[in-house]
Amino acid sequence: MKSVKNIQKITKAMKMVAASKLRAVQTKAENSRGLWQPFTALLGDLPSVDVKKNVVVTISSDKGLCGGINSTSVKISKGIYKLNSGPEKETKYVILGEKAKAQLVRDSKKDIELIITELQKNPLSYTQVSVLADEILKNVEYDALRIVFNKFHSVVSFVPTVSTVLSPEIVERESESGGKLGELDSYEVEGGETKGEILQNLAEFQFSCVMFNAVLENACSEQGARMSAMDSSSRNAGDMLDRLTLTYNRTRQASITTELIEIISGASALEG
């Protein structure tokens, strides 16, 4: 009973810590949504585009005790890998977080291009994430980056999400062929830069903005899921404590009753 009480105290404390961290990061996540939306309007988010080189960026947490958000991200990443596999296609993983690393290393080690951990060791900022995005772009060759993360809705609700960032060459190809990106040619280019250079800069900035939002959304989802998990654990510990207390009281009462019967029986035997 004492150990269950101690566990309950720990889970309640962890819930309070998660709530505090959630409040700190939620405002950042909501503000970051305005960064990537203009890029989506201009360059689109085309998950169905057919390309040869895909990179799946799986965002997870470094710590556990947060429900199934990491397993969900890994499952979706594996699904994207299968969808984009083929004889003339190449798909690689970029992993953010210890939990996705532990799951993907077991059966997809040869397909992992880059692993980054301890992302949330310091408070998340755009500068930190943009450096991270630049490191990813330097180490991988891609036609499309598929970013897998959990989009935060509420403490008890998060939605697994995939954002697609295309390379400048694919964006130019899609714009020339018409379709959703056909309107790019209607914009005038000012200055001395070529269309390819502008698309290169836009693609890099789009990736860093999408990554910043994705990391924050996933951090919110992690803390929300941890709050729910610790709340459930605290309730379960309380229920277990009630059952153990009831069992203890019944056993104690039975023992006292037995002792009383023995005393009375002994006294009766002496009188007889």
Side-chain angles (χ1 to χ4, degrees), residues 251-267:
T251 305
R252 181 170 169 271
Q253 188 176 7
S255 176
I256 292 170
T257 304
T258 303
E259 288 177 2
L260 285 172
I261 291 171
E262 289 176 351
I263 292 168
I264 295 168
S265 299

Side-chain angles (χ1 to χ4, degrees), residues 5-19:
K5 283 182 180 178
N6 290 336
I7 290 171
Q8 189 180 42
K9 287 178 182 177
I10 292 169
T11 54
K12 285 182 177 179
M14 289 184 69
K15 179 186 174 183
M16 292 175 64
V17 171

Side-chain angles (χ1 to χ4, degrees), residues 12-272:
K12 285 182 177 179
M14 289 184 69
K15 179 186 174 183
M16 292 175 64
V17 171
S20 176
K21 289 183 177 180
L22 175 61
R23 282 193 296 271
V25 78
Q26 186 175 355
T27 304
K28 286 185 179 180
E30 290 171 351
N31 292 337
S32 71
R33 291 170 186 169
L35 281 174
W36 60 268
Q37 288 169 349
F39 289 102
T40 303
L42 177 64
L43 301 175
D45 187 345
L46 306 175
S48 60
V49 66
D50 187 28
V51 295
K52 291 183 178 179
K53 293 182 179 179
N54 288 277
V55 175
V56 182
V57 182
T58 306
I59 300 176
S60 69
S61 66
D62 288 314
K63 299 178 182 178
L65 301 176
C66 52
I69 65 168
N70 296 315
S71 299
T72 303
S73 295
V74 170
K75 284 179 183 177
I76 291 174
S77 299
K78 288 181 178 179
I80 294 172
Y81 181 90
K82 289 180 181 178
L83 284 173
N84 292 283
S85 296
E88 296 182 357
K89 293 184 178 182
E90 181 184 26
T91 304
K92 296 290 185 181
Y93 288 110
V94 170
I95 299 172
L96 274 68
E98 287 284 356
K99 294 303 174 180
K101 170 189 169 184
Q103 294 186 51
L104 288 171
V105 162
R106 287 198 295 264
D107 52 2
S108 306
K109 189 173 182 179
K110 61 182 178 61
D111 298 315
I112 296 173
E113 197 77 15
L114 185 64
I115 297 174
I116 299 168
T117 58
E118 297 186 355
L119 184 61
Q120 296 185 48
K121 192 173 182 180
N122 299 313
L124 292 168
S125 65
Y126 179 75
T127 303
Q128 177 190 0
V129 177
S130 62
V131 171
L132 172 69
D134 189 51
E135 184 180 350
I136 293 173
L137 293 176
K138 286 178 180 177
N139 285 279
V140 300
E141 294 182 4
Y142 73 98
D143 291 328
L145 292 157
R146 319 278 186 177
I147 304 159
V148 181
F149 63 99
N150 292 283
K151 187 177 179 64
F152 178 78
H153 277 202
S154 69
V155 173
V156 294
S157 174
F158 54 88
V159 179
T161 306
V162 181
S163 291
T164 303
V165 177
L166 303 177
S167 68
E169 295 78 15
I170 300 300
V171 171
E172 195 165 2
R173 186 194 76 184
E174 292 294 314
S175 66
E176 289 173 355
S177 63
K180 292 184 178 179
L181 297 181
E183 296 179 0
L184 278 177
D185 291 329
S186 63
Y187 292 95
E188 294 183 4
V189 178
E190 295 182 357
E193 292 182 328
T194 64
K195 181 180 178 181
E197 290 173 337
I198 291 174
L199 288 176
Q200 178 73 37
N201 293 334
L202 284 173
E204 291 177 1
F205 193 35
Q206 180 192 18
F207 179 55
S208 64
C209 290
V210 171
M211 278 290 294
F212 182 52
N213 174 252
V215 168
L216 288 172
E217 295 279 2
N218 202 78
C220 281
S221 300
E222 176 193 346
Q223 299 303 335
R226 185 169 288 119
M227 277 182 65
S228 298
M230 293 303 101
D231 184 53
S232 297
S233 298
S234 298
R235 287 201 304 269
N236 290 338
D239 293 341
M240 184 181 292
L241 194 59
D242 291 340
R243 290 196 299 270
L244 288 172
T245 302
L246 183 62
T247 303
Y248 171 76
N249 288 337
R250 283 177 176 173
T251 305
R252 181 170 169 271
Q253 188 176 7
S255 176
I256 292 170
T257 304
T258 303
E259 288 177 2
L260 285 172
I261 291 171
E262 289 176 351
I263 292 168
I264 295 168
S265 299
S268 299
L270 289 171
E271 287 176 2

